[in-house]
Amino acid sequence: MDEQFMREAADHFTRPWSERRGIESIDRNDAVVLVKVPLNQLSDALAEKAIEFQRNVMGAEIEASGAFVFAYQLVGHPWSIMISGYLPSPSILESSELAQLSKQLGQAVIRLLISDTVNEIGYELFEGGELVECFGGSDGRLTDYSNEYGIQSELYFLSPYLEQGSEAQQTAYFWSRRRQLTAEDIGNVFNFPHQLMLDFDAFDPAIDSRYLLGEYSSRRGRYRVQNPGFGLVLGYDADGRRQEVTSVPDLVRVDYFRF
């Protein structure tokens, strides 16, 4: 890896968190909920339904048991974020609850679903108490989830890799009250949700429970909430020492809710 490439990679990896938008990484399996309100407003709504909650738990210990979520916000971002902490996933993250949350708070809610294991990505957009748009895409065949919402999604077959000499196709389902699209408009199933996030001035930083709880691996117990930062290995110098940079998300606060 040449020096210029390493420098450019390091600059990109450490760019200000307040300026980032879109989806930071799709190399994971995760479900993320974004709500376009300040964290205090989201936390007030969650606290009404939680059986236990703690605000500002960074550096503190929390009990990992049952169904719980973390809610947090990044400095300089208008959206707050919810992530599940333990299986089973709490009902607050289900579609009906998220639709109601969008009505209660009077703002948009996005649920983003990512799986690099099966090469799938999707999202659901709720506004005013209703599902207004949903999308699911895969590098292979995708299971139609239309019946889950009682709607009829449009099926698309995409060929985003033709310029690279590959005839491999992607599959996508799309339904919307807001707009009509062609396969060309969707383009690539992994770029399409990223563009939605950009259009909504939203950002998914790829923070999950494992990041916040360190060695957490779905075992019940007490864990200390932390913000260790993300590391990027650039290579090794002539003496075999690893060259690495770290970027620490600038979090307003992290709150904990058990349901």
Side-chain angles (χ1 to χ4, degrees):
M1 187 180 298
D2 62 52
E3 186 175 338
Q4 180 179 352
F5 183 85
M6 290 175 60
R7 186 164 53 249
E8 292 174 353
D11 289 344
H12 176 75
F13 191 76
T14 58
R15 69 197 188 282
W17 286 89
S18 62
E19 299 175 5
R20 304 187 190 196
R21 297 296 187 272
I23 301 173
E24 185 70 11
S25 173
I26 60 173
D27 296 328
R28 66 197 216 267
N29 297 291
D30 212 352
V32 181
V33 174
L34 300 98
V35 186
K36 197 176 182 181
V37 294
L39 181 57
N40 282 338
Q41 193 173 347
L42 173 60
S43 291
D44 287 345
L46 295 177
E48 293 176 2
K49 299 184 178 183
I51 60 175
E52 178 188 353
F53 67 91
Q54 294 175 243
R55 307 206 188 205
N56 195 20
V57 294
M58 185 60 65
E61 284 193 348
I62 60 96
E63 181 69 29
S65 63
F68 67 91
V69 301
F70 288 112
Y72 68 91
Q73 186 176 15
L74 287 162
V75 172
H77 288 262
W79 295 73
S80 296
I81 299 175
M82 286 191 290
I83 54 174
S84 178
Y86 192 69
L87 295 176
S89 181
S91 60
I92 191 67
L93 300 181
E94 295 177 357
S95 298
S96 59
E97 291 285 345
L98 297 179
Q100 180 59 34
L101 189 64
S102 72
K103 182 178 182 179
Q104 177 183 352
L105 297 177
Q107 291 291 345
V109 174
I110 297 173
R111 179 164 68 171
L112 184 64
L113 306 168
I114 299 173
S115 175
D116 62 356
T117 301
V118 294
N119 292 321
E120 293 185 0
I121 191 168
Y123 67 80
E124 300 152 2
L125 172 63
F126 304 90
E127 293 178 334
E130 296 183 332
L131 175 72
V132 297
E133 186 167 294
C134 61
F135 169 83
S138 173
D139 253 343
R141 298 290 297 182
L142 182 70
T143 302
D144 183 3
Y145 52 80
S146 302
N147 292 336
E148 181 179 350
Y149 306 106
I151 60 176
Q152 185 59 51
S153 301
E154 188 76 22
L155 172 63
Y156 299 86
F157 294 102
L158 315 174
S159 301
Y161 307 121
L162 287 179
E163 293 182 359
Q164 303 171 20
S166 172
E167 297 182 357
Q169 281 192 321
Q170 294 180 338
T171 307
Y173 284 96
F174 178 78
W175 175 89
S176 179
R177 297 182 187 272
R178 305 168 59 246
R179 53 181 174 165
Q180 293 183 330
L181 298 178
T182 65
E184 184 178 354
D185 293 328
I186 295 175
N188 186 306
V189 299
F190 297 108
N191 295 339
F192 186 68
H194 178 76
Q195 185 60 51
L196 176 95
M197 298 284 282
L198 294 178
D199 293 342
F200 275 78
D201 194 31
F203 177 59
D204 165 33
I207 291 175
D208 59 13
S209 296
R210 188 176 300 276
Y211 173 88
L212 292 174
L213 299 181
E215 297 300 320
Y216 172 63
S217 59
S218 298
R219 293 193 303 270
R220 297 173 184 268
R222 296 196 64 82
Y223 295 86
R224 189 171 300 278
V225 182
Q226 55 189 295
N227 183 21
F230 294 97
L232 175 67
V233 177
L234 299 172
Y236 297 84
D237 63 18
D239 297 323
R241 291 173 297 193
R242 186 166 65 179
Q243 304 297 298
E244 184 176 7
V245 292
T246 300
S247 183
V248 181
D250 192 4
L251 300 175
V252 173
R253 196 177 72 235
V254 178
D255 296 343
Y256 159 85
F257 303 86
R258 188 162 65 88
F259 298 90

